[in-house]
Amino acid sequence: MLHGSLLNKILLFALPLAASSILQQLFNSVDVAVVGKFASSQALAAVGSNASVISLMINLFVGISVGASVVIANYIGQKNQRGIKNAIHTVSVVTLANGVLLLAVGLLIARPILEMMDTPDDVIDLAVLYLRIYFLGMPFFMIYNFGAAILRSMGDTKRPLYCLIIAGLINTALNLLLVIVFKMSVAGVAIGTVVSNMFCAGMIIYILLHEKEPFRLESKHIKISRPELRKMLRIGVPAGVQGMVFSIANIFIQAAINRFGSNAIAGSAAALTYEYYCYFVVSAFSQATVTFISQNYGARQIERCKKVFRQTMLLSVTSCALLNGFFVWQKELAIGIFTSSPEVFRFATLRMEIVLLTQSLACSYEIAGAALRGLGYSMLPAILTVFGTCVLRLFWVYVICPLFPTFEALMIIYPISWLVTGVAVCVAYRIIQKKLFIPEKAYNLLNGNN
């Protein structure tokens, strides 16, 4: 990451990571497709209505894993082996605590939060059942994600991908068996996801136990190092809070969707699947931005930091726009995988043509925000994203939508919020960049380097 051409290294890092994230989403997509085809529209809606709740619950802790990745990557740039070792073993403790906490909270709030979202009566019991079983797998989900964050900080995105490929096959096989053969509906697909998460967790632990020093996980060293924990939380908590607030806004939007009935929920869930696929490509380039800038900024390679930002922004916008256009072009095939209901198809098409087609706008704040985190500025993009997405979307739901009570009017807030947030975060990045990126020659002179 510190030497040679950047483009091929960014692609080698980002593409396996994108594939890994897409495979994780396939766990949910297979759930949606199997119950939609072999159970009922209500089962499809039950699985789909949980997406925003699950995102809300896990985003804080996924954000902390981003903080861990930044800290470890920065230590790699500094060649600080003691810091790397302390950070990795601190992560292991945090991971287990987070997973157990998520399990407990998820079981407790499943029904209250779905009731708060106005989940229809013909859907809510199935939705609660799916959510409670899903959260039984949270400790395993968190172990995989934090372990993968450690490997990503090293530049390794391939081994997490291999784990997910096998886990995806396990998940699909179990879904088909439990839903088609044993008629377990949403319970069957939830169990399949939990088992696949257990496999991923086991594989990632095995990899870390056999990794070379200083990246090896050793039980005798597992403890919290307060300096490393503070650094992780300083970067990770704002990123996680941003994701949580983002999810809160989407919960209110989901509640508004729920008022249009189970067909709208099912249609929105089908279209949302393709938004996730495109987002994960953007997220992969965002993770590449964080990791590459963290390492290069730690090594004071300023010009490479600037190049990383330019190249990841171009790659993310281009790839996202191409995928958006492809899925909308093939919408009949894409939606047909999940449903044969004409009304569900109508709602899915509306969401795809309004939201999915404009999703590349989100690249602006995702990449600029990732660059800021790589430089150690995590609070600023979090605050800007909260105002640009959450506040604006809530205003839209409660002020604008009552004046225009249509599904189309509800969906249009997505591109509007992406545009507003993107402009704000990009401007912030430019300001911070000028403040931090003094010329390398001047930096060397100030520090007595030849």
Side-chain angles (χ1 to χ4, degrees):
M1 292 186 186
L2 301 175
H3 308 284
S5 171
L6 277 169
L7 181 61
N8 64 326
K9 292 183 174 68
I10 290 171
L11 289 173
L12 287 172
F13 179 97
L15 293 181
L17 178 56
S20 296
S21 298
I22 288 169
L23 279 171
Q24 275 194 300
Q25 178 57 30
L26 274 173
F27 292 172
N28 183 260
S29 298
V30 170
D31 293 353
V32 172
V34 169
V35 295
K37 284 289 187 180
F38 300 105
S40 65
S41 294
Q42 286 75 23
L44 171 60
V47 175
S49 64
N50 276 306
S52 56
V53 179
I54 292 168
S55 295
L56 171 66
M57 295 291 292
I58 68 174
N59 270 339
L60 174 61
F61 304 105
V62 171
I64 295 172
S65 76
V66 171
S69 183
V70 170
V71 170
I72 296 169
N74 200 259
Y75 281 143
I76 292 171
Q78 298 172 14
K79 299 182 179 179
N80 183 345
Q81 294 201 4
R82 182 177 179 83
I84 294 169
K85 195 173 189 69
N86 288 341
I88 286 173
H89 288 90
T90 298
V91 167
S92 66
V93 180
V94 173
T95 299
L96 186 59
N98 290 345
V100 173
L101 179 61
L102 273 173
L103 168 61
V105 173
L107 293 176
L108 288 173
I109 72 163
R111 181 169 288 275
I113 198 168
L114 288 167
E115 289 176 346
M116 183 190 74
M117 292 169 60
D118 294 329
T119 306
D121 292 339
D122 61 339
V123 172
I124 190 165
D125 288 338
L126 291 172
V128 170
L129 177 62
Y130 177 83
L131 192 59
R132 284 177 173 164
I133 296 174
Y134 187 97
F135 271 93
L136 291 175
M138 272 300 110
F140 309 108
F141 176 86
M142 297 309 297
I143 288 170
Y144 170 78
N145 275 280
F146 274 81
I150 293 170
L151 295 177
R152 285 197 299 270
S153 69
M154 301 159 52
D156 181 1
T157 56
K158 291 182 180 179
R159 284 183 291 178
L161 171 61
Y162 301 150
C163 294
L164 283 171
I165 289 173
I166 301 172
L169 294 173
I170 293 170
N171 184 60
T172 302
L174 283 174
N175 283 347
L176 294 172
L177 175 67
L178 296 176
V179 175
I180 299 174
V181 178
F182 292 100
K183 309 295 182 184
M184 294 180 68
S185 187
V186 297
V189 294
I191 291 169
T193 301
V194 170
V195 172
S196 61
N197 282 333
M198 290 173 65
F199 172 83
C200 281
M203 286 299 297
I204 214 76
I205 290 172
Y206 178 84
I207 289 170
L208 290 173
L209 287 173
H210 293 82
E211 190 54 65
K212 63 183 180 181
E213 290 288 351
F215 301 100
R216 183 182 301 136
L217 182 64
E218 297 176 285
S219 58
K220 63 182 178 181
H221 295 303
I222 293 178
K223 63 179 181 179
I224 289 180
S225 171
R226 291 184 180 180
E228 273 65 53
L229 180 61
R230 283 195 296 268
K231 290 176 184 178
M232 290 176 197
L233 295 179
R234 181 172 60 83
I235 296 169
V237 169
V241 170
Q242 172 187 321
M244 285 185 69
V245 173
F246 196 86
S247 296
I248 289 170
N250 286 338
I251 281 178
F252 284 99
I253 292 177
Q254 183 64 51
I257 292 170
N258 291 350
R259 298 185 189 111
F260 290 95
S262 59
N263 286 327
I265 300 172
S268 181
L272 183 62
T273 298
Y274 298 100
E275 292 170 37
Y276 279 134
Y277 291 148
C278 297
Y279 170 76
F280 287 138
V281 174
V282 178
S283 180
F285 287 114
S286 173
Q287 288 283 341
T289 305
V290 168
T291 307
F292 277 71
I293 287 182
S294 296
Q295 283 202 23
N296 282 282
Y297 190 61
R300 293 302 303 176
Q301 300 200 73
I302 303 305
E303 289 304 314
R304 284 180 72 83
C305 292
K306 294 179 181 179
K307 288 179 182 177
V308 168
F309 174 76
R310 290 194 297 268
Q311 292 189 16
T312 52
M313 180 67 80
L314 178 62
L315 288 167
S316 65
V317 170
T318 303
S319 56
C320 184
L322 289 172
L323 282 172
N324 295 158
F326 174 77
F327 286 133
V328 174
W329 174 47
Q330 294 293 327
K331 60 181 179 290
E332 292 189 8
L333 174 63
I335 299 168
I337 293 172
F338 298 98
T339 184
S340 55
S341 166
E343 192 64 10
V344 172
F345 187 91
R346 182 177 73 85
F347 280 107
T349 299
L350 286 172
R351 177 158 187 151
M352 291 183 81
E353 292 177 347
I354 296 171
V355 181
L356 183 61
L357 201 57
T358 59
Q359 192 182 16
S360 58
L361 291 169
C363 298
S364 54
Y365 71 82
E366 289 285 348
I367 300 301
L372 286 168
R373 291 188 190 95
L375 298 172
Y377 284 77
S378 190
M379 185 61 72
L380 181 58
I383 292 171
L384 293 174
T385 305
V386 165
F387 279 98
T389 55
C390 183
V391 174
L392 183 56
R393 289 180 184 181
L394 291 179
F395 171 81
W396 192 270
V397 168
Y398 288 103
V399 177
I400 304 300
C401 285
L403 302 176
F404 304 95
T406 65
F407 190 78
E408 296 92 320
L410 177 61
M411 293 294 103
I412 199 69
I413 186 53
Y414 284 102
I416 292 173
S417 61
W418 289 334
L419 182 62
V420 171
T421 308
V423 170
V425 180
C426 284
V427 169
Y429 169 75
R430 290 293 296 173
I431 293 171
I432 297 298
Q433 182 207 63
K434 289 181 179 179
K435 174 183 174 183
L436 293 180
F437 288 3
I438 61 174
E440 289 180 61
K441 288 184 179 179
Y443 177 83
N444 291 331
L445 288 172
L446 286 171
N447 288 274
N449 300 324
N450 295 322

